[in-house]
């Protein structure tokens, strides 16, 4: 399989009117895989029923949320890991740092080695629409 790419124009950040535009390649997504698609794909390669697969996936989310709320990194093996990161104000002295300094928290997914390798093996191809080539 190959990934289709197209071009988009982006202006310069912070410049009124966008400044000089540059063109960048972006992927053209072929669709989305939802829980039903994942379940049916997994069912085809193992002996577990679709209902059991969905139950495990939903339970995984519940358990992962509990682990993250307790300050843990969730290590999923081959799929990767999930952790919380924080953005906070900097303070002059350590004793000034408190929970009130936190601006936002985010959930970070770090892919495992098999998923990372996938991005190195991608086959990219241009798309053509309305007579125009896209990167």
């Amino acid at each position: 399989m190959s990934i289709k790419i197209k071009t988009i124009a982006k202006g310069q950040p912070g410049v009124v009117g966008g400044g000089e535009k540059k063109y960048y390649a972006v992927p053209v997504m072929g669709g989305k895989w939802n829980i039903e698609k994942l379940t049916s794909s997994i069912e085809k390669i193992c002996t577990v029923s679709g209902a059991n697969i969905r139950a495990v996936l939903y339970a995984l989310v519940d358990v992962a949320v509990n682990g993250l709320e307790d300050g843990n990194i969730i290590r999923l093996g081959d799929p990767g890991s999930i952790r919380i990161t924080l953005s906070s104000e900097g303070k002059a002295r350590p004793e000034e740092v408190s929970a009130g300094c936190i601006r936002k928290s985010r959930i970070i997914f770090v892919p495992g080695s098999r998923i990372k390798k996938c991005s190195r093996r991608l086959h990219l191809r241009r798309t053509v629409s309305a007579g125009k080539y896209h990167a």
Side-chain angles (χ1 to χ4, degrees):
M1 288 301 277
S2 62
I3 304 288
K4 295 178 186 175
I5 58 174
K6 66 178 182 179
T7 57
I8 61 166
K10 290 186 181 182
Q12 292 174 295
V15 176
V16 177
E20 182 182 342
K21 302 244 187 282
K22 289 191 177 183
Y23 296 88
Y24 298 88
V26 295
V28 176
M29 296 291 108
K32 296 178 184 178
W33 279 31
N34 59 20
I35 193 78
E36 290 80 19
K37 174 68 174 169
L38 289 170
T39 300
S40 67
S41 296
I42 294 169
E43 255 183 324
K44 291 174 185 172
I45 61 171
C46 71
T47 60
V48 180
S49 74
N52 287 336
I53 293 166
R54 281 188 296 281
V56 169
L57 292 173
Y58 287 120
L60 174 64
V61 172
D62 292 340
V63 172
V65 167
N66 292 338
L68 290 169
E69 289 176 341
D70 288 341
N72 296 298
I73 296 172
I74 310 302
R75 299 222 184 265
L76 301 170
D78 276 351
S81 63
I82 307 166
R83 64 183 171 86
I84 292 178
T85 187
L86 302 173
S87 176
S88 70
E89 299 172 28
K91 296 294 181 178
R93 296 188 317 268
E95 59 271 9
E96 294 176 343
V97 177
S98 69
C101 299
I102 308 285
R103 283 188 236 140
K104 68 179 177 178
S105 62
R106 292 183 16 213
I107 306 295
I108 302 291
F109 172 73
V110 179
S113 61
R114 285 184 62 199
I115 294 176
K116 282 182 186 175
K117 286 177 188 173
C118 168
S119 69
R120 291 185 221 130
R121 294 190 315 247
L122 294 178
H123 299 282
L124 305 171
R125 66 182 168 103
R126 292 181 172 188
T127 62
V128 179
S129 62
K132 296 181 182 178
Y133 276 98
H134 295 282

